Amino acid sequence: MKTEHRDWTRSDKAVVAMSQAKGNGGQDIFFLFTVSQVEEVLSEIPVRGIPFAPDFVEGMCCWRGQIVPVVDIEKRFGFSGREHSSSDRYLVVRTGAADANADALLLHGVFRVSGEVKVIDAGAESDIVFPREIGIEPSLARGTYQQRGYFLIVPDVALILQNEQKTDIL
Amino acid sequence: MTENKGNILQNKSSGLGIRNKLLLWFLIIALIPLVVIGFASYKLSSQALEKQSFDSLESTLVLQKKSLEDYFSERTRNLENLAGDVLMLQQRTFATMAAVRDLKKEQVEIFLRDRLRDVLEFAGSPLQRDVLTGLLSGTSGAAGKKYVSSLKAWAVQRSFSSVLVVSPEGRVIYSSDPVIKKGISLRKIKGTPELTAFQSGKKTATFTDFSLSALRNSEPAAYFSAPVMRGSTVLGVVLCRLDAASLDRIMNEQIGLGKSGESYLVGRDRLFRSNSSFYDETTLASPAYLVDTESVEAAVGGQSGEGVIINYRGEYVLSSYAPVKVAGVDWALLVELDLSVAMTPKSKGTERDYLAEYAYNYGYPDLYLLNPDGYIYYSAKQRADYQTNILSGPFSKSGFADTVRTVLETKKMVVSDYSRYQAAGNKPSAFLAMPLVQNDAVVMIVALQVPIEQISAIMQEHGGKGDTYLVGSDGLWRSESLQPGRYNVKSTLLNEKTKLDTEPVRQALAGHAGTKITVNGLGEKVLSSWKPFNYANLHWAVISEISKQKIDQPVNRLTRIMSMLTVGVLLAAFVISFLASGGITRQIRAIMDVITRVEEGDYSARAKVISSDELGRMASSFNGMIETTQGLIATRQEENDQLQESIMGLLMEISDLAEGDLTVRATVREDATGTVADSLNMMLEELSDTIGNIKKSSEQVGTTANQLSSSTDKLAARSDQQADLITHSVEEIKQMTEAIEQAAEKANTSAVSSEQSRNAALEGTRVVEETSRAMEAIRGNVQDTARAIKRLGESSQEISDFAKTINEISDRTSILALNASIQASAAGEEGRGFAVVAEEIQRLAERAAGSTRQIETLIKNILGDITEAGSSMDASIQEVIQGTALSEDALIKLQDISNRSNEVAVLIDEVSKATSEQAEAAVKVAKAMGAVGVISTDTADETRATSSQMKGMASVTARMLESVAAFKLPQDENEGVVADNDELESLVVSDEGIEG
C-alpha cells in the first residue's frame, strides 16, 4: 500500500541522519527529523560520563550554556554499539513544543548518529512498516517507513529525552 | 801310628761327653716347659692389662668429649637465651622511647598550633585593628592605652616572650621587648629574624624559625607573625617572639627516660631548637653545636623510627626520632637514651646489673654487648676494653676482635679458640659471640668470655689414673695438665714450652680417632687414646693417656716370681741329672778305654764287661770284633807282594815306547796288571792311526795353498780392470758438470722474467686503486641522492598533513552549511534565499572534500614511490659498497700477487745458486772417483802380496810333515821309509814351481 505521508513534518524540508546500523534484512537505516526539531548539527562536542547511567546514555555536555544529555540513538533503538569515529555527528534536538508541561524540565537533548546528516525534501513516497520488522521498540518511534530499500525511523524525541530525564538519567 | 794317635786325642778333646750331654738334655727338658709357661703367662697377662687400660682410656675419652660438647652446647644455649633477653630489652626500650617521643611530639605540636592560633586571633580582632590605627596615627586614646598595657600579660599567658607591633613600613610602633625599642626600623639591619618575620608576616600568618638576631645582641629568636588588615589594606604586622624556655620545659620532662635519657629538637640546619640538658650554656640555634646524626637526617627527611646511633656528644645511644611539621615549623624531635643504661636494667637493692649478675652466676669472666661497628658499649667487668672499638681500637689484633669480625661476616654464632687477651690480663681467653640479626642486618653482638678453668676442670673430672688434656690445632695445650711440674712449667695452657707434636695430636687434629701405645710429649711410653673435638669454629684434639710403666707393674711382679721359680727348678734338675748319668756312663768308659788302645795298635786289649744291659753286651761284641780284625790284616800283606812283582815285568816290556816306537806291545797277564797291559796296547793302536792322519792332512793343506796363490793372481788382474773403468766414469762426470752449468744460466734468465711479471702486478694494483677511488665517489653521489629522496618524502608528508587540515575545514564547512540549511528551512519563506547560499556552500565543501581525497590518494602514491625509490637507493648503496669491497679485495689480491712474484724471483735466484753449487759438487765427485781408481790399483798390488804369503804357507806345511815323520808307524814297516821322502820332495818341487 503506497501512501504519501506528509503529516510528520510541518515544512517541506526534513533532516535525515544516516546510520551504520542495519535492519533485520540488512537494509540501511535512516533517522528522520523535522527541520524544526533540529537545533544544530555538531561534528564534535566534549561529553562527560555519568556514573551508573544506562549504556546508551553517553553522558552530559554543555551546549550554549545548557547542560543537556547525550544519547547514542542507535543504541537506544537496540542496535549494537560501535566505536566512535570522526564521521560521527551530534544532533542537538528540541524535546518538543514550547508548551511542554511542568515536568518537562529538559528542552534540548543531543543524539549521536554514526553517519552523514543531510537536509532533504520531504516529499518522497514511502511505505509504512511495523517497527518489529525493523527490530525496534515501537513506543520509541513516532513512525517507521520503507523507501527505496531502506528504512526510515521517526524517533519520538520527547519520549526518549523526557523519559530519560525523569527516570534513567537524573 | 802317630797320626792315629793325634786323631784319637782330637776326638777326645772335641765334643761333650755322654754324661755331660745327658746332663744338658735333662736340664733343657726341665727348662722348656718352664720358659713356655712363663712367657705365655707374661704375654697373656700383659695383653689383658693393656686391653683393660685401653678400654678404660676410651671410655674416659668418650665421657670427657661428651662433657665438653655438653659444656659448649649449654654455653651456646645460655648465649642464645641471653641474646633473646637483650633483644627483648632493646625492643622494650624502643617501645618506651617511641611512646615518650610521640607524647612529646604531640605536646610540641599542640603548643605550636596554639601559638599560631593565638597570633591569628590577635591579628584578626577588631579591637586590635582599632588600637593599631590609633597607634599609627598617635591617637589611640585611653582605651587603646589600656589595651596596650594588657598586651604584656597577654603575651606571657600565651608563652610569648614579647610582642612587637610593626607599621607597614617596618617601624616598630609597639614593643614589649626590653631590647628592641619602639621607633626603630626593622629594615635597618638585614637578615634578622625580626625582618624576615615582618616581611613574611605582612602577607600571611607565618612562623619564622630560630636564628641569631643582630637586633637582640645575637641571641636566638623565633617569631609567629601575622598581618593586621582592614579590608585588603595591611595596617601593620604583629610579631610574637616564641618563648624558648617553654619548649625546653616540654623537652626536659624526663618521664620514662631515667637520668641518662634526653629529648631535644633540631632544625633543618642541624642546629638545636631546644637547649641540651647536658650542657650548661645555651645550645639553642648555636652554631657551636651541630647535631648531624643519622636520626636527625631521617627525621628531617620526614621519617619516624628508632635505632642505635652515635649522638651529638659522640656517645652510643638508642635514638627515637620523628619529624615535627606543624604551623610552618619543620623540626626533628629526638628522644635518646644511653645504650649501656638502656640495655642493662638494674633491680633495686642489687649490687650488679642484670647482665653482670648473669655473668657472675654462670662464672663467665666477662660479658659484652657490642655495636655492629665493634664498639663495646657494655662490659660486665668494665676492663680495659670497655668503651673501646674492638675492630679498630687498641685490642683490634686480639682473638676477640677476630671473633667479632667472623660474627659480622657470617652473621652466625662463633666460638673462638683460646688465645692470650691483653685486656683480660694476658690470660688465655676464648669467646662465644652471637649476633642479633634484624632484617638481615646485625644490630648488636652479645659476647661472653669462656672460663678456661671450667674446661680444665672437665678434663680432670674423669681422668682416673691417667692424664686427659686438650690440644689446639697449633699444638698448644687448651686445658691445664694434672701435673704441670712434670713438664717443668707452672701452667701448660698455651705454653710454647709444652707444645706437642705427637702422633695422637697429629691424628686427632687430622680428624681421626684411635688408640695406641705411643710416646707422649715427655718422651714416655704411654697408652694413648685420642679423638678430634669439633664444635663450631673449634678444632681440638682430646687425648687421654696412661703411663705404660704403671700398667706393666703387676706383670713385672709376675715375671720376677717366675724367674725365681725357674732358677730353683733348674738346680733340682741338675742334681737329679748328675746322679742318673753317672750310673749309665761307667760301662761306656770301659769300652772307650779299649777302643783307645786298639787305635794305638794294641790289638791285645779287651773290654771289661760290667753291666748286663745293652752296654755290657756291646763290650763283649767289641772284644770279638778285635780278634777277627787281627786275622784279616795278615792275609792282606801276602796279596800285596804278588802285585808288586807283576808291575815290574810290565814296565820292562814298554821301555821302547819312550823312543817313539809305536810298534811295541805289552804282555797281558792274569793278575791285576793284565787289564793295564790290555788297555795300553789299545791306546798305542789308536795313537798310530792318529799320527798317520795328521800326515795326510798336511799334504792336502800344501796343495790347497798352491791353488789359492794362483786365484789371488787372477784377482790382482781384475783390480787393474776396475781402475780403468773408474777413469772412464770420471770423464762422464765432467760432461754432467757442464750440463748443470748450462741449467744455472737458464735459471738466471727465469729471474729476469719474474721481475717483469712483478712490475706488471704493481701496475695492476695502481689501476685497481684508481677504480676503488671511483667507486667511493659513486657511493657519495648515491648517498646524496638517497638523502634528497628522503627530503622529498618528508615534504610529501607535510603536504599530506595540509590536505588533512583542508579536509577538516571542508568537513566543518559542510556542517556549517548543513546548519545554515536547517536554519534557513526553519525560517520558512524568508530563509529561502539564505537556503540557496547554504546549498552552494554545501556543494563547495563537498567539492573541496573530493579534491582533498584525490590529493591524499596522490600523496599516498607518491609516498609509496618514494619508499620504493628509497629501498632501491639503499640497494644501490649496498651494491656500491659491495663493489668497493670487491675492488679493495682485488687490490689486496694484486698486492698479494706482487708479493708472490717477489717470492718467486727470490726462489729462482736460489735455484740458480743451487745449480752452481751442484756443478761444483759434480767436480768434487769426479775427483773422488779418481781417488777410487788409485785405491783399485793399490788393491791389485796388495793382492799380489797376498799370493806370495800363500806360498810361504805351503813351505810351512812341508816343514810340519817333516816333524810327523819322526814317529814310527806300523804301516811304515809295510811301505818303507822311501815313500815319505818322495812326498816331501814333491812339496818342495811344487814350491819352486810357484816361485818360478
Side-chain angles (χ1 to χ4, degrees), chain A residues 13 15 35 38-44 86 89 117-119, chain B residues 811-812 814-815 818-819 821-823 825-826 832 839 842 846:
Chain A
K13 296 283 183 183
V15 178
V35 168
V38 180
E39 194 78 60
E40 193 179 2
V41 179
L42 300 167
S43 62
E44 54 185 24
S86 60
R89 293 288 182 262
V117 178
K118 280 187 174 174
V119 177
Chain B
D811 198 32
R812 282 170 186 277
S814 173
I815 288 172
L818 183 66
N819 283 322
S821 212
I822 291 167
Q823 294 304 326
S825 300
R832 191 161 302 279
E839 274 174 29
Q842 179 74 26
E846 279 170 7

PDB file of all heavy atoms in Angstrom, chain A residues 13 15 35 38-44 86 89 117-119, chain B residues 811-812 814-815 818-819 821-823 825-826 832 839 842 846:
ATOM      1  N   LYS A  13      10.952  20.569   4.208  1.00  0.00           N
ATOM      2  CA  LYS A  13      12.316  20.038   4.385  1.00  0.00           C
ATOM      3  C   LYS A  13      12.381  19.116   5.606  1.00  0.00           C
ATOM      4  O   LYS A  13      11.656  19.301   6.574  1.00  0.00           O
ATOM      5  CB  LYS A  13      13.311  21.198   4.610  1.00  0.00           C
ATOM      6  CG  LYS A  13      13.432  22.137   3.427  1.00  0.00           C
ATOM      7  CD  LYS A  13      14.284  21.521   2.321  1.00  0.00           C
ATOM      8  CE  LYS A  13      14.455  22.515   1.181  1.00  0.00           C
ATOM      9  NZ  LYS A  13      15.197  21.928   0.080  1.00  0.00           N
ATOM     10  N   VAL A  15      15.348  16.726   8.064  1.00  0.00           N
ATOM     11  CA  VAL A  15      16.769  16.399   8.320  1.00  0.00           C
ATOM     12  C   VAL A  15      16.867  14.879   8.456  1.00  0.00           C
ATOM     13  O   VAL A  15      16.127  14.268   9.224  1.00  0.00           O
ATOM     14  CB  VAL A  15      17.276  17.059   9.614  1.00  0.00           C
ATOM     15  CG1 VAL A  15      18.730  16.664   9.894  1.00  0.00           C
ATOM     16  CG2 VAL A  15      17.153  18.572   9.506  1.00  0.00           C
ATOM     17  N   VAL A  35      12.816  19.760  10.378  1.00  0.00           N
ATOM     18  CA  VAL A  35      13.787  20.847  10.470  1.00  0.00           C
ATOM     19  C   VAL A  35      13.620  21.583  11.802  1.00  0.00           C
ATOM     20  O   VAL A  35      14.582  21.976  12.454  1.00  0.00           O
ATOM     21  CB  VAL A  35      13.623  21.796   9.271  1.00  0.00           C
ATOM     22  CG1 VAL A  35      14.408  23.085   9.487  1.00  0.00           C
ATOM     23  CG2 VAL A  35      14.084  21.136   8.009  1.00  0.00           C
ATOM     24  N   VAL A  38      15.452  19.999  14.812  1.00  0.00           N
ATOM     25  CA  VAL A  38      16.927  20.038  14.903  1.00  0.00           C
ATOM     26  C   VAL A  38      17.393  21.458  15.174  1.00  0.00           C
ATOM     27  O   VAL A  38      17.083  22.378  14.418  1.00  0.00           O
ATOM     28  CB  VAL A  38      17.576  19.492  13.622  1.00  0.00           C
ATOM     29  CG1 VAL A  38      19.095  19.550  13.729  1.00  0.00           C
ATOM     30  CG2 VAL A  38      17.127  18.066  13.388  1.00  0.00           C
ATOM     31  N   GLU A  39      18.090  21.633  16.253  1.00  0.00           N
ATOM     32  CA  GLU A  39      18.599  22.954  16.618  1.00  0.00           C
ATOM     33  C   GLU A  39      19.933  23.194  15.908  1.00  0.00           C
ATOM     34  O   GLU A  39      20.172  24.260  15.355  1.00  0.00           O
ATOM     35  CB  GLU A  39      18.835  22.984  18.133  1.00  0.00           C
ATOM     36  CG  GLU A  39      19.044  24.356  18.713  1.00  0.00           C
ATOM     37  CD  GLU A  39      17.745  25.136  18.884  1.00  0.00           C
ATOM     38  OE1 GLU A  39      16.835  24.667  19.621  1.00  0.00           O
ATOM     39  OE2 GLU A  39      17.641  26.180  18.266  1.00  0.00           O
ATOM     40  N   GLU A  40      20.778  22.175  15.930  1.00  0.00           N
ATOM     41  CA  GLU A  40      22.097  22.354  15.343  1.00  0.00           C
ATOM     42  C   GLU A  40      22.731  20.980  15.099  1.00  0.00           C
ATOM     43  O   GLU A  40      22.395  20.006  15.785  1.00  0.00           O
ATOM     44  CB  GLU A  40      22.995  23.151  16.316  1.00  0.00           C
ATOM     45  CG  GLU A  40      24.279  23.655  15.697  1.00  0.00           C
ATOM     46  CD  GLU A  40      25.137  24.465  16.666  1.00  0.00           C
ATOM     47  OE1 GLU A  40      24.756  24.602  17.842  1.00  0.00           O
ATOM     48  OE2 GLU A  40      26.202  24.915  16.225  1.00  0.00           O
ATOM     49  N   VAL A  41      23.631  20.934  14.125  1.00  0.00           N
ATOM     50  CA  VAL A  41      24.396  19.697  13.891  1.00  0.00           C
ATOM     51  C   VAL A  41      25.861  19.998  14.278  1.00  0.00           C
ATOM     52  O   VAL A  41      26.416  21.012  13.859  1.00  0.00           O
ATOM     53  CB  VAL A  41      24.325  19.244  12.426  1.00  0.00           C
ATOM     54  CG1 VAL A  41      25.145  17.965  12.217  1.00  0.00           C
ATOM     55  CG2 VAL A  41      22.893  19.020  12.025  1.00  0.00           C
ATOM     56  N   LEU A  42      26.458  19.146  15.075  1.00  0.00           N
ATOM     57  CA  LEU A  42      27.851  19.373  15.518  1.00  0.00           C
ATOM     58  C   LEU A  42      28.714  18.180  15.099  1.00  0.00           C
ATOM     59  O   LEU A  42      28.240  17.039  15.075  1.00  0.00           O
ATOM     60  CB  LEU A  42      27.912  19.509  17.048  1.00  0.00           C
ATOM     61  CG  LEU A  42      27.083  20.655  17.645  1.00  0.00           C
ATOM     62  CD1 LEU A  42      26.992  20.469  19.147  1.00  0.00           C
ATOM     63  CD2 LEU A  42      27.741  21.988  17.332  1.00  0.00           C
ATOM     64  N   SER A  43      29.968  18.480  14.781  1.00  0.00           N
ATOM     65  CA  SER A  43      30.890  17.363  14.452  1.00  0.00           C
ATOM     66  C   SER A  43      31.561  16.815  15.713  1.00  0.00           C
ATOM     67  O   SER A  43      31.971  15.670  15.759  1.00  0.00           O
ATOM     68  CB  SER A  43      31.945  17.830  13.461  1.00  0.00           C
ATOM     69  OG  SER A  43      32.712  18.852  14.039  1.00  0.00           O
ATOM     70  N   GLU A  44      31.711  17.681  16.726  1.00  0.00           N
ATOM     71  CA  GLU A  44      32.299  17.179  17.985  1.00  0.00           C
ATOM     72  C   GLU A  44      31.789  18.003  19.148  1.00  0.00           C
ATOM     73  O   GLU A  44      31.412  19.168  18.974  1.00  0.00           O
ATOM     74  CB  GLU A  44      33.830  17.225  17.932  1.00  0.00           C
ATOM     75  CG  GLU A  44      34.360  18.594  17.576  1.00  0.00           C
ATOM     76  CD  GLU A  44      35.862  18.580  17.417  1.00  0.00           C
ATOM     77  OE1 GLU A  44      36.410  17.504  17.138  1.00  0.00           O
ATOM     78  OE2 GLU A  44      36.473  19.635  17.577  1.00  0.00           O
ATOM     79  N   SER A  86      35.435   9.720  13.452  1.00  0.00           N
ATOM     80  CA  SER A  86      35.416  11.148  13.091  1.00  0.00           C
ATOM     81  C   SER A  86      34.200  11.493  12.235  1.00  0.00           C
ATOM     82  O   SER A  86      33.831  12.657  12.100  1.00  0.00           O
ATOM     83  CB  SER A  86      36.710  11.508  12.352  1.00  0.00           C
ATOM     84  OG  SER A  86      36.785  10.726  11.185  1.00  0.00           O
ATOM     85  N   ARG A  89      28.200  12.350  14.031  1.00  0.00           N
ATOM     86  CA  ARG A  89      27.593  13.696  14.117  1.00  0.00           C
ATOM     87  C   ARG A  89      26.709  13.756  15.359  1.00  0.00           C
ATOM     88  O   ARG A  89      26.123  12.747  15.772  1.00  0.00           O
ATOM     89  CB  ARG A  89      26.717  13.975  12.870  1.00  0.00           C
ATOM     90  CG  ARG A  89      27.511  14.082  11.583  1.00  0.00           C
ATOM     91  CD  ARG A  89      28.313  15.388  11.527  1.00  0.00           C
ATOM     92  NE  ARG A  89      29.031  15.503  10.282  1.00  0.00           N
ATOM     93  CZ  ARG A  89      30.325  15.193  10.130  1.00  0.00           C
ATOM     94  NH1 ARG A  89      31.020  14.719  11.164  1.00  0.00           N
ATOM     95  NH2 ARG A  89      30.917  15.344   8.967  1.00  0.00           N
ATOM     96  N   VAL A 117      24.704  13.577   7.844  1.00  0.00           N
ATOM     97  CA  VAL A 117      23.409  14.243   8.099  1.00  0.00           C
ATOM     98  C   VAL A 117      23.122  15.163   6.908  1.00  0.00           C
ATOM     99  O   VAL A 117      24.025  15.866   6.435  1.00  0.00           O
ATOM    100  CB  VAL A 117      23.475  15.060   9.403  1.00  0.00           C
ATOM    101  CG1 VAL A 117      22.173  15.792   9.645  1.00  0.00           C
ATOM    102  CG2 VAL A 117      23.773  14.147  10.591  1.00  0.00           C
ATOM    103  N   LYS A 118      21.900  15.103   6.409  1.00  0.00           N
ATOM    104  CA  LYS A 118      21.569  15.921   5.237  1.00  0.00           C
ATOM    105  C   LYS A 118      20.192  16.577   5.432  1.00  0.00           C
ATOM    106  O   LYS A 118      19.363  16.059   6.179  1.00  0.00           O
ATOM    107  CB  LYS A 118      21.517  15.041   3.981  1.00  0.00           C
ATOM    108  CG  LYS A 118      22.887  14.752   3.420  1.00  0.00           C
ATOM    109  CD  LYS A 118      22.768  14.035   2.101  1.00  0.00           C
ATOM    110  CE  LYS A 118      24.136  13.893   1.475  1.00  0.00           C
ATOM    111  NZ  LYS A 118      24.048  13.084   0.275  1.00  0.00           N
ATOM    112  N   VAL A 119      20.021  17.661   4.681  1.00  0.00           N
ATOM    113  CA  VAL A 119      18.681  18.287   4.634  1.00  0.00           C
ATOM    114  C   VAL A 119      18.082  17.877   3.300  1.00  0.00           C
ATOM    115  O   VAL A 119      18.728  18.037   2.247  1.00  0.00           O
ATOM    116  CB  VAL A 119      18.791  19.819   4.739  1.00  0.00           C
ATOM    117  CG1 VAL A 119      17.413  20.452   4.605  1.00  0.00           C
ATOM    118  CG2 VAL A 119      19.412  20.205   6.064  1.00  0.00           C
TER     119      VAL A 119
ATOM    120  N   ASP B 811      35.066  19.631   6.113  1.00  0.00           N
ATOM    121  CA  ASP B 811      34.084  18.938   6.939  1.00  0.00           C
ATOM    122  C   ASP B 811      33.285  19.933   7.777  1.00  0.00           C
ATOM    123  O   ASP B 811      32.061  19.894   7.830  1.00  0.00           O
ATOM    124  CB  ASP B 811      34.840  17.949   7.856  1.00  0.00           C
ATOM    125  CG  ASP B 811      33.903  16.894   8.421  1.00  0.00           C
ATOM    126  OD1 ASP B 811      32.939  16.537   7.731  1.00  0.00           O
ATOM    127  OD2 ASP B 811      34.166  16.449   9.571  1.00  0.00           O
ATOM    128  N   ARG B 812      34.034  20.844   8.404  1.00  0.00           N
ATOM    129  CA  ARG B 812      33.359  21.867   9.218  1.00  0.00           C
ATOM    130  C   ARG B 812      32.459  22.763   8.351  1.00  0.00           C
ATOM    131  O   ARG B 812      31.352  23.124   8.748  1.00  0.00           O
ATOM    132  CB  ARG B 812      34.400  22.721   9.930  1.00  0.00           C
ATOM    133  CG  ARG B 812      34.962  22.015  11.132  1.00  0.00           C
ATOM    134  CD  ARG B 812      36.144  22.760  11.672  1.00  0.00           C
ATOM    135  NE  ARG B 812      36.740  21.981  12.744  1.00  0.00           N
ATOM    136  CZ  ARG B 812      36.314  21.976  14.013  1.00  0.00           C
ATOM    137  NH1 ARG B 812      35.265  22.715  14.332  1.00  0.00           N
ATOM    138  NH2 ARG B 812      36.878  21.258  14.917  1.00  0.00           N
ATOM    139  N   SER B 814      31.023  21.922   5.689  1.00  0.00           N
ATOM    140  CA  SER B 814      29.840  21.141   5.330  1.00  0.00           C
ATOM    141  C   SER B 814      28.800  21.212   6.445  1.00  0.00           C
ATOM    142  O   SER B 814      27.621  21.415   6.193  1.00  0.00           O
ATOM    143  CB  SER B 814      30.299  19.705   5.087  1.00  0.00           C
ATOM    144  OG  SER B 814      29.185  18.901   4.894  1.00  0.00           O
ATOM    145  N   ILE B 815      29.309  21.029   7.722  1.00  0.00           N
ATOM    146  CA  ILE B 815      28.375  21.075   8.870  1.00  0.00           C
ATOM    147  C   ILE B 815      27.756  22.483   8.979  1.00  0.00           C
ATOM    148  O   ILE B 815      26.554  22.635   9.216  1.00  0.00           O
ATOM    149  CB  ILE B 815      29.094  20.669  10.159  1.00  0.00           C
ATOM    150  CG1 ILE B 815      29.368  19.165  10.106  1.00  0.00           C
ATOM    151  CG2 ILE B 815      28.296  21.015  11.391  1.00  0.00           C
ATOM    152  CD1 ILE B 815      30.227  18.642  11.209  1.00  0.00           C
ATOM    153  N   LEU B 818      25.178  22.779   6.511  1.00  0.00           N
ATOM    154  CA  LEU B 818      24.011  21.989   6.925  1.00  0.00           C
ATOM    155  C   LEU B 818      23.181  22.751   7.944  1.00  0.00           C
ATOM    156  O   LEU B 818      21.956  22.862   7.811  1.00  0.00           O
ATOM    157  CB  LEU B 818      24.523  20.673   7.534  1.00  0.00           C
ATOM    158  CG  LEU B 818      23.474  19.668   7.974  1.00  0.00           C
ATOM    159  CD1 LEU B 818      22.696  19.144   6.763  1.00  0.00           C
ATOM    160  CD2 LEU B 818      24.155  18.495   8.686  1.00  0.00           C
ATOM    161  N   ASN B 819      23.894  23.300   8.967  1.00  0.00           N
ATOM    162  CA  ASN B 819      23.183  24.080   9.976  1.00  0.00           C
ATOM    163  C   ASN B 819      22.490  25.293   9.356  1.00  0.00           C
ATOM    164  O   ASN B 819      21.354  25.619   9.704  1.00  0.00           O
ATOM    165  CB  ASN B 819      24.151  24.527  11.071  1.00  0.00           C
ATOM    166  CG  ASN B 819      24.467  23.369  12.013  1.00  0.00           C
ATOM    167  OD1 ASN B 819      23.570  22.576  12.320  1.00  0.00           O
ATOM    168  ND2 ASN B 819      25.716  23.242  12.426  1.00  0.00           N
ATOM    169  N   SER B 821      21.468  25.516   6.370  1.00  0.00           N
ATOM    170  CA  SER B 821      20.348  24.979   5.616  1.00  0.00           C
ATOM    171  C   SER B 821      19.152  24.738   6.539  1.00  0.00           C
ATOM    172  O   SER B 821      18.021  25.063   6.219  1.00  0.00           O
ATOM    173  CB  SER B 821      20.839  23.652   5.037  1.00  0.00           C
ATOM    174  OG  SER B 821      20.285  23.393   3.862  1.00  0.00           O
ATOM    175  N   ILE B 822      19.487  24.127   7.729  1.00  0.00           N
ATOM    176  CA  ILE B 822      18.402  23.837   8.698  1.00  0.00           C
ATOM    177  C   ILE B 822      17.756  25.147   9.157  1.00  0.00           C
ATOM    178  O   ILE B 822      16.525  25.270   9.193  1.00  0.00           O
ATOM    179  CB  ILE B 822      18.981  23.046   9.897  1.00  0.00           C
ATOM    180  CG1 ILE B 822      19.396  21.636   9.444  1.00  0.00           C
ATOM    181  CG2 ILE B 822      17.981  22.947  11.037  1.00  0.00           C
ATOM    182  CD1 ILE B 822      20.249  20.869  10.436  1.00  0.00           C
ATOM    183  N   GLN B 823      18.618  26.097   9.486  1.00  0.00           N
ATOM    184  CA  GLN B 823      18.096  27.379   9.967  1.00  0.00           C
ATOM    185  C   GLN B 823      17.241  28.045   8.889  1.00  0.00           C
ATOM    186  O   GLN B 823      16.173  28.592   9.163  1.00  0.00           O
ATOM    187  CB  GLN B 823      19.265  28.318  10.362  1.00  0.00           C
ATOM    188  CG  GLN B 823      20.067  27.833  11.540  1.00  0.00           C
ATOM    189  CD  GLN B 823      19.221  27.598  12.783  1.00  0.00           C
ATOM    190  OE1 GLN B 823      18.233  28.309  13.030  1.00  0.00           O
ATOM    191  NE2 GLN B 823      19.576  26.566  13.542  1.00  0.00           N
ATOM    192  N   SER B 825      15.690  26.609   6.437  1.00  0.00           N
ATOM    193  CA  SER B 825      14.429  25.881   6.270  1.00  0.00           C
ATOM    194  C   SER B 825      13.460  26.236   7.388  1.00  0.00           C
ATOM    195  O   SER B 825      12.268  26.391   7.167  1.00  0.00           O
ATOM    196  CB  SER B 825      14.691  24.380   6.281  1.00  0.00           C
ATOM    197  OG  SER B 825      15.551  24.055   5.241  1.00  0.00           O
ATOM    198  N   ALA B 826      14.001  26.317   8.630  1.00  0.00           N
ATOM    199  CA  ALA B 826      13.146  26.646   9.766  1.00  0.00           C
ATOM    200  C   ALA B 826      12.549  28.044   9.617  1.00  0.00           C
ATOM    201  O   ALA B 826      11.441  28.301  10.082  1.00  0.00           O
ATOM    202  CB  ALA B 826      13.956  26.545  11.061  1.00  0.00           C
ATOM    203  N   ARG B 832      14.525  31.353   2.342  1.00  0.00           N
ATOM    204  CA  ARG B 832      14.796  30.626   1.106  1.00  0.00           C
ATOM    205  C   ARG B 832      16.080  31.085   0.431  1.00  0.00           C
ATOM    206  O   ARG B 832      16.884  30.282  -0.034  1.00  0.00           O
ATOM    207  CB  ARG B 832      13.584  30.744   0.154  1.00  0.00           C
ATOM    208  CG  ARG B 832      13.677  29.812  -1.039  1.00  0.00           C
ATOM    209  CD  ARG B 832      12.370  29.561  -1.713  1.00  0.00           C
ATOM    210  NE  ARG B 832      11.335  28.997  -0.870  1.00  0.00           N
ATOM    211  CZ  ARG B 832      11.235  27.702  -0.553  1.00  0.00           C
ATOM    212  NH1 ARG B 832      12.149  26.839  -0.971  1.00  0.00           N
ATOM    213  NH2 ARG B 832      10.238  27.266   0.172  1.00  0.00           N
ATOM    214  N   GLU B 839      23.155  25.918   0.375  1.00  0.00           N
ATOM    215  CA  GLU B 839      23.330  24.766  -0.517  1.00  0.00           C
ATOM    216  C   GLU B 839      24.613  24.907  -1.333  1.00  0.00           C
ATOM    217  O   GLU B 839      25.351  23.953  -1.557  1.00  0.00           O
ATOM    218  CB  GLU B 839      22.119  24.631  -1.451  1.00  0.00           C
ATOM    219  CG  GLU B 839      20.999  23.839  -0.794  1.00  0.00           C
ATOM    220  CD  GLU B 839      19.729  23.814  -1.658  1.00  0.00           C
ATOM    221  OE1 GLU B 839      19.855  23.886  -2.889  1.00  0.00           O
ATOM    222  OE2 GLU B 839      18.653  23.723  -1.064  1.00  0.00           O
ATOM    223  N   GLN B 842      27.444  24.202   0.724  1.00  0.00           N
ATOM    224  CA  GLN B 842      27.482  22.739   0.914  1.00  0.00           C
ATOM    225  C   GLN B 842      28.182  22.070  -0.257  1.00  0.00           C
ATOM    226  O   GLN B 842      29.060  21.220  -0.087  1.00  0.00           O
ATOM    227  CB  GLN B 842      26.029  22.238   1.040  1.00  0.00           C
ATOM    228  CG  GLN B 842      25.896  20.732   1.219  1.00  0.00           C
ATOM    229  CD  GLN B 842      26.292  20.305   2.623  1.00  0.00           C
ATOM    230  OE1 GLN B 842      26.191  21.117   3.543  1.00  0.00           O
ATOM    231  NE2 GLN B 842      26.805  19.097   2.761  1.00  0.00           N
ATOM    232  N   GLU B 846      31.657  19.986  -0.400  1.00  0.00           N
ATOM    233  CA  GLU B 846      31.739  18.620  -0.917  1.00  0.00           C
ATOM    234  C   GLU B 846      32.845  18.514  -1.956  1.00  0.00           C
ATOM    235  O   GLU B 846      33.610  17.539  -1.990  1.00  0.00           O
ATOM    236  CB  GLU B 846      30.395  18.186  -1.518  1.00  0.00           C
ATOM    237  CG  GLU B 846      29.438  17.746  -0.407  1.00  0.00           C
ATOM    238  CD  GLU B 846      28.017  17.535  -0.920  1.00  0.00           C
ATOM    239  OE1 GLU B 846      27.809  17.600  -2.155  1.00  0.00           O
ATOM    240  OE2 GLU B 846      27.123  17.333  -0.078  1.00  0.00           O
TER     241      GLU B 846
END
